[in-house]
Amino acid sequence: MADELVHYDVARGVATITLDSPHNRNALSAQLRRELRDHLTRAVDDAAVRVVVLSHTGPVFCSGMDLKESRGADAQTQGVHEFPAILEQIWNSPKPVVARLVGPARAGGVGLVAACDIAVAAEDATFAFSEVRIGVVPAVISVTVLPRLLPRAAHELFLTGEKFDARRAVAAGLINSAVPADTLDDEVRRYTDMLALGGPRALAATKAMLRRPRAANLREDLAEMLQLSAGYFASEEGQEGIRAFVEKRPPSWVPRD
């Protein structure tokens, strides 16, 4: 049996899913895709998990699809057919997902980063939409990337395939934070600690709200949002949060040490 390429660990309400295939730059091979999907499902189903961190071993976060597996395959048997389901799992996860990058992300790897709710990278990490340079189109990843990128940046970076650094990725809207490598874990922990303070149902509903299409007019939009807001104020979770605030204690959902 082949060694595991994706690892899963839970501590203090945080599930860390680690890509561990450095021999091929954490490329999205069939085995890695399968294990990544399984661990994402496991994190969502685990009641002890409040936040998910997507991390990696080795110098590269993810180099995109495994081109050795893609070589010679026809359109119907390309591994990219399985990739949309992974992006959808991350994008629609009811639990916040944080990407942690020490090193480069390319092509499909950038799609993974964009699908996450929060992305933190070491300053020397780099990014590139390298698809056009090998004669393919960054089509699938565009679904998660384009909502993040500024339009001018998207046209430039998708069409040129140019490599860009983490500071440019922040400015373009792709990631949230670029920090020195020796403070990366502290920055990730800062985000996970904040995310764990939110009510689980409220976080899931807020994620869905952020990605919903807006109503046709302001009055309809306000009416729909009023219903959502009032329902959560009156919910069991909302009432527990209000009691905790009044009683000056952490709500019951905050992970304990």
Side-chain angles (χ1 to χ4, degrees):
M1 183 175 178
D3 291 338
E4 186 179 62
L5 298 183
V6 183
H7 308 308
Y8 183 87
D9 179 69
V10 179
R12 297 186 66 247
V14 177
T16 301
I17 298 174
T18 306
L19 309 183
D20 185 20
S21 184
H23 70 280
N24 66 353
R25 304 170 76 236
N26 287 321
L28 293 161
S29 63
Q31 181 184 343
L32 188 142
R33 294 193 305 269
R34 181 176 66 253
E35 293 178 9
L36 178 55
R37 289 202 65 184
D38 288 346
H39 288 320
L40 288 167
T41 299
R42 183 177 177 185
V44 168
D45 292 344
D46 187 346
V49 171
R50 301 295 319 290
V51 183
V52 181
V53 173
L54 182 59
S55 187
H56 66 104
T57 65
V60 176
F61 173 74
C62 177
S63 59
M65 297 304 298
D66 190 327
L67 298 183
K68 289 184 179 179
E69 292 183 352
S70 298
R71 185 178 180 182
D74 62 25
Q76 284 68 45
T77 58
Q78 290 287 343
V80 72
H81 282 288
E82 299 173 4
F83 195 43
I86 295 173
L87 296 180
E88 188 174 1
Q89 266 188 297
I90 298 171
W91 187 269
N92 289 332
S93 165
K95 301 174 182 182
V97 184
V98 179
R100 171 192 174 276
L101 293 83
V102 177
R106 297 288 185 269
V110 188
L112 291 177
V113 172
C116 295
D117 300 287
I118 304 287
V120 181
E123 288 175 329
D124 54 359
T126 60
F127 304 81
F129 303 102
S130 50
E131 287 88 343
V132 293
R133 296 195 177 188
I134 61 167
V136 299
V137 178
V140 172
I141 68 167
S142 72
V143 178
T144 58
V145 171
L146 291 181
R148 307 296 192 194
L149 283 185
L150 297 172
R152 280 289 186 188
H155 280 249
E156 174 189 344
L157 297 171
F158 270 51
L159 292 171
T160 64
E162 179 187 20
K163 181 173 71 174
F164 56 102
D165 63 20
R167 292 294 180 189
R168 176 81 192 276
V170 172
L174 179 63
I175 67 173
N176 298 84
S177 181
V179 297
D182 60 357
T183 66
L184 178 62
D185 288 333
D186 290 337
E187 181 74 343
V188 171
R189 192 174 303 110
R190 185 176 75 87
Y191 277 109
T192 59
D193 286 350
M194 289 191 293
L195 291 166
L197 297 177
R201 293 181 179 83
L203 284 169
T206 300
K207 281 193 60 170
M209 180 197 69
L210 287 167
R211 287 159 182 172
R212 64 183 273 276
R214 309 309 302 185
N217 60 62
L218 181 65
R219 179 171 293 179
E220 289 179 12
D221 216 12
L222 285 171
E224 187 175 336
M225 291 298 95
L226 172 59
Q227 186 176 8
L228 178 66
S229 181
Y232 273 84
F233 268 102
S235 70
E236 181 179 346
E237 185 175 276
Q239 288 297 303
E240 162 61 11
I242 292 168
R243 285 193 300 270
F245 178 81
V246 172
E247 296 168 8
K248 296 181 171 57
R249 61 170 174 81
S252 60
W253 59 73
V254 175
R256 303 298 193 264
D257 290 336

